[in-house]
Amino acid sequence: MSYATLKHYIDGQWVEPTGGREQDVVNPATNQPIGRLGLASRADLDKAIAAAERGFRQWRSVSAFERGKILRKAAELVRARAEEIATILTQEQGKVIAEARLEVLSAADIIDWFAGEGQRAYGRLIPARADGVRNMVILEPIGPVAGFAPWNFPVTQAVRKIAAALAAGCSIILKCPEETPGSPIGLVGCFHDAGVPAGVINLVYGVPAEISEYLIPHPSIRKVSFTGSVSVGKHLNALAASHMKRATMELGGHAPVLVFDDADVAHAAKLMAAFKYRNAGQVCVSPTRFFVHEKVYDNFVADFTGIASGLKVGAGLDPTTNMGPLANPRRVNAMEAFVADAEEKGARIATGGSRVGNEGNFFQPTVLTDIPENARVLSEEPFGPLALMLRFKDTDEVLSRANALPFGLASYAFTKNGNTATKVADALESGMVTINHFGIALPETPFGGVKDSGFGHEGGIEGLQVYMQAKFVSHMG
Ligand code: NAD
């Protein structure tokens, strides 16, 4: 099966990077190379920066109405090419093809949302103290953006940055993941064909640290948006701060799930097992620490484990597969190390716990119980198919355990009691809380974390605001 043509996109052209450095792109289901990707040199980045400067000057003067029309056309092209882009995504990232299709289609919805929201980026009038004075707050696009998107959702993580930046009137240089370059190329092709002018979007690949260390301090870049790990995010945010650049940081999580004794336990187990093993658990909002009330613990764990052990692990292009491989061998090694550490300290494996086969990066959907407090996996983000079962008795006690980690991205709760739901929603230290269903990560709702999980939002009106700056104008006469 053919894969993608791998090129960079600079100043409206598909180009080979200069400098001669290349690396393999590997299919995680086989660990066999499927493509060669060129890596950007300093000269390529300089071209992208100059193009983004020109692109910004042109794009900011296009009306929000016209920008919206071009973005909507790009969304239509994404829908029309969904099958092609989804196939590339599964080949390079591993996720099952049904999830890849959903990811690509949701990218089109994200573009549509921002296309409309750009037209509603209103400023405001402030009552003046004197006759004939107009006090205005005008929202302006902040300028050329440097975006860094990761490999777990190569299409939606890229489109959240592109669509919001473009709707606000910014240009963007996006460094997409070297491990999964083909699907972002397919996505950017839709913007190109929809008529986005040259220089407004630039897509590069390279050595991540080299690119971020060059772009972030560069005077042309006015805003940084990074999605990835907490450690890299802290480093890039410090760099952005030292150059007075605004930043959005979408970092890791270690999501708690609170299942109370009055919850619909079967529903909670079914829903959470489906989301736990989606994308093989490589999701920043993946439900991870399951705090289950002791009265319903055995039922919940039995239901959840039954579902986990019944999932078929295999290549993502096989339509009968429920969970694909992990995206790279690093993640399989990390899962083995987490499980070995927990087991050594006394944890029990209810199901899974091992890699599958000798080819590809397959790991079993895993449920751990009786996990001691000092197991590493209870404090470090697993970012893989590990579900951690923990008992609780008391609401205040479980809230303080749920809030004990430095992460604060997503939290989940299941209860039929309205007072408990309100208390939990108020007390959980996380950017997003969803109760009795999975209700986060829609284009129209703000997505973002608190504490070490970062700051700023992608999605919702907040997702547009981070690409704009307020200018106050007072005018007399
Ligand atoms: P990593 O920390 O090496 O890389 C994470 C991402 O950051 C990758 O996309 C990488 O290309 C990029 N990156 C790394 N160093 C960079 C730098 N100096 N400048 C710019 N970009 C840089 O880890 P990894 O092994 O690739 O991924 C595993 C960890 O990353 C997970 O534990 C998880 O916490 C995190 N992660 C989070 C998300 C998310 O959605 N928040 C997505 C992917 C990975």
Side-chain angles (χ1 to χ4, degrees):
M1 183 179 287
S2 71
Y3 172 59
T5 306
L6 301 179
K7 294 206 172 174
H8 295 209
Y9 181 68
I10 298 176
D11 204 10
Q13 307 284 325
W14 294 101
V15 295
E16 295 289 354
T18 59
R21 291 180 301 172
E22 286 189 343
Q23 69 184 47
D24 279 340
V25 178
V26 168
N27 179 344
T30 59
N31 275 332
Q32 294 303 312
I34 50 176
R36 290 286 287 171
L37 178 70
L39 306 180
S41 66
R42 182 67 65 88
D44 300 317
L45 296 181
D46 281 334
K47 278 186 206 145
I49 291 168
E53 277 274 14
R54 283 193 300 277
F56 175 56
R57 281 196 293 276
Q58 182 184 355
W59 188 242
R60 71 174 303 177
S61 64
V62 175
S63 72
F65 178 71
E66 285 302 323
R67 290 200 296 253
K69 283 209 288 196
I70 296 174
L71 290 179
R72 282 191 195 91
K73 190 160 177 209
E76 278 317 304
L77 290 172
V78 170
R79 288 191 183 97
R81 298 175 193 175
E83 197 59 30
E84 183 194 328
I85 301 173
T87 305
I88 293 169
L89 172 51
T90 293
Q91 284 174 291
E92 63 188 10
Q93 201 274 347
K95 66 182 62 182
V96 297
I97 187 71
E99 289 180 20
R101 280 189 199 111
L102 275 180
E103 176 171 348
V104 177
L105 291 174
S106 81
D109 293 347
I110 290 168
I111 302 170
D112 273 340
W113 159 261
F114 280 110
E117 203 51 29
Q119 290 174 246
R120 293 186 289 270
Y122 310 129
R124 68 186 201 278
L125 285 179
I126 297 171
R129 292 187 175 198
D131 260 3
V133 171
R134 285 271 181 272
N135 283 333
M136 296 169 270
V137 178
I138 297 169
L139 294 184
E140 295 183 329
I142 192 162
V145 175
F148 300 88
W151 45 260
N152 58 339
F153 291 93
V155 175
T156 48
Q157 305 276 29
V159 85
R160 280 170 160 181
K161 299 183 198 306
I162 297 174
L166 266 60
C170 297
S171 61
I172 186 164
I173 303 174
L174 197 62
K175 188 205 82 62
C176 278
E178 291 68 31
E179 285 155 315
T180 57
S183 50
I185 288 170
L187 171 74
V188 168
C190 297
F191 286 93
H192 174 85
D193 293 342
V196 171
V200 176
I201 303 174
N202 301 276
L203 173 65
V204 297
Y205 298 92
V207 177
E210 240 177 68
I211 297 186
S212 55
E213 306 284 331
Y214 190 59
L215 289 187
I216 294 174
H218 197 287
S220 297
I221 297 298
R222 300 309 319 153
K223 150 107 192 153
V224 178
S225 177
F226 171 76
T227 305
S229 58
V230 172
S231 57
V232 175
K234 284 183 173 174
H235 172 66
L236 298 191
N237 187 47
L239 188 60
S242 68
H243 293 271
M244 209 52 82
K245 305 292 172 74
R246 278 176 39 183
T248 298
M249 292 284 149
E250 292 290 353
L251 309 178
H254 204 302
V257 182
L258 278 49
V259 183
F260 288 87
D261 54 350
D262 59 1
D264 179 342
V265 169
H267 164 72
K270 193 170 164 206
L271 190 73
M272 286 293 101
F275 281 103
K276 173 72 252 180
Y277 301 110
R278 178 175 155 234
N279 201 14
Q282 303 162 115
V283 183
C284 51
V285 296
S286 186
T288 296
R289 286 174 296 149
F290 292 84
F291 294 101
V292 187
H293 193 280
E294 59 180 10
K295 286 192 189 150
V296 293
Y297 178 88
D298 289 341
N299 283 352
F300 181 85
V301 173
D303 282 5
F304 192 103
T305 304
I307 297 167
S309 58
L311 294 175
K312 184 180 165 203
V313 177
L317 286 177
D318 175 346
T320 66
T321 295
N322 301 122
M323 191 181 97
L326 301 187
N328 50 57
R330 295 194 298 287
R331 300 292 348 126
V332 181
N333 296 340
M335 294 313 108
E336 284 191 322
F338 278 131
V339 171
D341 169 78
E343 223 185 346
E344 207 176 283
K345 290 171 179 161
R348 215 172 57 76
I349 298 173
T351 187
S354 308
R355 66 169 71 218
V356 183
N358 300 320
E359 194 190 50
N361 308 317
F362 297 99
F363 198 86
Q364 292 172 312
T366 298
V367 177
L368 299 180
T369 62
D370 306 292
I371 310 160
E373 282 300 320
N374 63 346
R376 273 179 44 219
V377 73
L378 279 185
S379 54
E380 294 174 32
E381 181 182 27
F383 216 65
L386 308 186
L388 315 175
M389 298 296 164
L390 305 153
R391 291 170 199 267
F392 79 91
K393 268 190 198 166
D394 171 76
T395 305
D396 289 325
E397 166 228 328
V398 76
L399 286 169
S400 86
R401 287 166 72 195
N403 288 336
L405 296 187
F407 299 101
L409 192 56
S411 302
Y412 305 86
F414 292 85
T415 175
K416 288 189 184 139
N417 183 315
N419 291 334
T420 308
T422 305
K423 179 169 180 161
V424 160
D426 288 349
L428 283 171
E429 294 171 359
S430 63
M432 297 168 282
V433 179
T434 175
I435 300 174
N436 293 332
H437 78 142
F438 186 91
I440 57 175
L442 296 169
E444 63 272 25
T445 59
F447 186 100
V450 297
K451 297 161 75 178
D452 273 4
S453 294
F455 50 79
H457 291 95
E458 298 197 302
I461 55 175
E462 293 83 356
L464 188 74
Q465 285 162 356
V466 294
Y467 290 93
M468 307 197 88
Q469 59 197 4
K471 177 184 274 176
F472 174 64
V473 177
S474 186
H475 175 201
M476 182 176 242

